[in-house]
Amino acid sequence: ELFQIQRSQGPCFDCFRTREPVINSDLATAVDRWPDFAPRALQAGFGSVHALPMRLRNETIGTLNIFGSDAGHFDETEVRIVQALADVATIAILQERSVQRAETLTEQLQGALNSRIVVEQAKGVMSALRGVSPDEAFVLLRTHARDQRLRLSDVALAVLTDPTSVPALTTRL
């Protein structure tokens, strides 16, 4: 598999590029078609390879490759069955990607919410210590973070945990 990708050659590469199955490829007769891949696969003990596209609508997301030790041959029914397996594998991969994206988004939203809470609390502390409105406290907080090239949430956390560590923000004017 890796060798095919490295050489941009082989049934997997052809299947992915054309979006069409590569079936019944007898590697002993495929040296002209894949001059780098076929000899290497034969040397590794493979006699045949089949590649079926893993598709989502009009997009091929990968290929399912089946390697055989002999010059195996799939009939039409077997090709349909193997393509169905590739389709099921595609659905499973896409479902996993969807779950991962949802989890990542949830984590990002939770992080943003936590950050927002810290900033709001820091605005309150600064308002009380400096005698300014929450809006003015936010401007001071944001300006300080930008000037110091710090994350706003980190500056806000410093204000909350030890107001004396950021005297420019917490000392009364």
Side-chain angles (χ1 to χ4, degrees), residues 41-110:
L42 286 164
Q43 186 180 35
F46 297 107
S48 65
V49 64
H50 313 275
L52 293 107
M54 299 175 76
R55 296 179 284 224
L56 171 64
R57 295 179 199 90
N58 292 328
E59 179 185 358
T60 300
I61 67 162
T63 63
L64 175 68
N65 298 291
I66 301 171
F67 291 85
S69 58
D70 59 15
H73 181 82
F74 284 170
D75 64 32
E76 190 176 317
T77 301
E78 291 169 322
V79 172
R80 283 196 309 272
I81 291 169
V82 176
Q83 183 63 62
L85 292 173
D87 294 342
V88 169
T90 302
I91 291 167
I93 289 168
L94 294 174
Q95 180 65 29
E96 176 62 22
R97 284 183 185 173
S98 179
V99 168
Q100 289 295 328
R101 285 183 186 135
E103 288 174 357
T104 299
L105 180 59
T106 299
E107 289 171 9
Q108 290 171 341
L109 291 173
Q110 186 63 51

Side-chain angles (χ1 to χ4, degrees), residues 77-154:
T77 301
E78 291 169 322
V79 172
R80 283 196 309 272
I81 291 169
V82 176
Q83 183 63 62
L85 292 173
D87 294 342
V88 169
T90 302
I91 291 167
I93 289 168
L94 294 174
Q95 180 65 29
E96 176 62 22
R97 284 183 185 173
S98 179
V99 168
Q100 289 295 328
R101 285 183 186 135
E103 288 174 357
T104 299
L105 180 59
T106 299
E107 289 171 9
Q108 290 171 341
L109 291 173
Q110 186 63 51
L113 179 60
N114 293 343
S115 175
R116 181 70 182 174
I117 291 168
V118 169
V119 170
E120 290 299 319
Q121 290 173 340
K123 283 170 42 179
V125 168
M126 289 175 57
S127 292
L129 294 175
R130 290 196 65 153
V132 297
S133 73
D135 289 340
E136 292 170 311
F138 179 72
V139 170
L140 291 168
L141 193 64
R142 184 183 61 206
T143 301
H144 182 79
R146 285 183 182 164
D147 290 348
Q148 301 301 312
R149 294 189 172 143
L150 298 169
R151 291 177 37 201
L152 180 62
S153 59
D154 291 341

